[in-house]
Amino acid sequence: MYLRKGLALLLAVMIWCVAFPALAVDWTHPLSFSNAELGRHDFSGQNLQAAEFSNANLEMANFAGADLRGAVLSASVMTQANLHGADLTNAMVNEVKLNGADLSDAVLLEAILLRSVFTDVNIEGADFSDAILDRAQIKELCQKANGVNSKTGVNTRESLGCR
């Protein structure tokens, strides 16, 4: 009888020890800031991968050096936002007002930027490789495109396909 109870206890401990690490997976839900009022908020240098900022007010927000890979910024207002050196690879930045924003040295690889407004933006050294833009946007950005991205080594004009 003691042998059976001992074996049952041993089996239970073994199952618990093997199964418990599988439950300890550190998976967190993406951050959500949809419809938030975040004007002048400082996100500089933060890991914001897959964060959602849809329809948010991000006027003058600071995202300098932030990791925004896969982030969703759709239909947000980012007037005069600082995105210097931010990584926006695979980000959804469609229908965003970027008037007066600083996109210098930003990485926008494969980002979706359709119908976004780029009035008076600084794109010096920005890498737009394989980004999805409207033709009118490309024409506008090519007029001010210059520099080379410090992380990717890609020329801004080349990344936009400027002639």
Side-chain angles (χ1 to χ4, degrees):
M1 182 162 163
Y2 289 110
L3 183 61
R4 268 192 221 160
K5 285 184 180 181
L7 286 174
L9 179 62
L10 180 62
L11 182 60
V13 169
M14 287 176 48
I15 291 172
W16 184 76
C17 289
V18 172
F20 194 76
L23 298 174
V25 174
D26 186 23
W27 187 86
T28 56
H29 295 284
L31 297 172
S32 180
F33 300 99
S34 293
N35 303 306
E37 288 291 330
L38 298 167
R40 299 181 187 267
H41 194 84
D42 187 5
F43 292 102
S44 59
Q46 291 186 29
N47 180 356
L48 300 165
Q49 287 184 45
E52 186 175 351
F53 293 92
S54 299
N55 300 304
N57 177 8
L58 300 165
E59 287 185 88
M60 294 192 233
N62 185 4
F63 289 96
D67 185 350
L68 289 159
R69 290 177 290 167
V72 178
L73 299 152
S74 301
S76 292
V77 176
M78 298 188 78
T79 303
Q80 296 181 4
N82 181 2
L83 292 153
H84 174 78
D87 189 346
L88 292 138
T89 299
N90 294 314
M92 296 272 301
V93 193
N94 56 309
E95 299 183 43
V96 174
K97 292 181 179 122
L98 290 157
N99 301 340
D102 182 0
L103 289 167
S104 60
D105 212 35
V107 178
L108 296 124
L109 299 170
E110 299 178 352
I112 298 173
L113 301 155
L114 296 170
R115 295 173 44 193
S116 288
V117 179
F118 294 97
T119 307
D120 298 323
V121 295
N122 177 0
I123 60 167
E124 183 175 349
D127 184 353
F128 290 91
S129 296
D130 299 319
I132 300 173
L133 295 140
D134 299 321
R135 282 187 189 164
Q137 290 171 310
I138 293 170
K139 185 177 178 181
E140 176 186 359
L141 292 172
C142 282
Q143 292 175 3
K144 56 184 115 196
N146 65 343
V148 174
N149 188 277
S150 66
K151 292 172 212 72
T152 65
V154 174
N155 182 292
T156 301
R157 292 188 61 77
E158 290 176 14
S159 71
L160 284 165
C162 301
R163 296 176 196 201

